[in-house]
């Protein structure tokens, strides 16, 4: 009886993990092909924004 108490949780864990893998194989990730990778900003944009800092932060006073 004690052996069942040890074995059943491991069997249930195996079933849950197997169902998770089965779901990943059957259902594609939603929006996986919707977004394209973003390229690096052009040098002009990087130079214009680097001295001011992130948007929404106050400018530092001299």
């Amino acid at each position: 009886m004690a052996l069942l108490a040890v074995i059943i949780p491991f069997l249930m864990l195996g079933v849950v993990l197997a169902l998770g893998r089965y779901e990943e194989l059957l259902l594609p990730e939603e929006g996986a092909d919707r977004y394209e990778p973003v390229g690096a900003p052009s040098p002009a944009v990087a130079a214009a924004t680097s001295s001011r800092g992130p948007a929404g932060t106050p400018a530092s006073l001299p």
Side-chain angles (χ1 to χ4, degrees):
M1 199 53 78
L3 187 61
L4 284 177
V6 173
I7 292 175
I8 288 176
F10 287 111
L11 290 175
M12 293 181 72
L13 177 63
V15 168
V16 168
L17 292 176
L19 286 174
R21 293 291 294 170
Y22 181 70
E23 179 186 11
E24 288 176 3
L25 291 174
L26 279 185
L27 302 175
E29 185 176 326
E30 186 174 330
D33 58 348
R34 187 181 322 172
Y35 304 108
E36 295 180 10
V38 178
S42 65
V45 172
T49 59
S50 63
S51 63
R52 288 184 283 165
T57 56
S60 61
L61 297 174

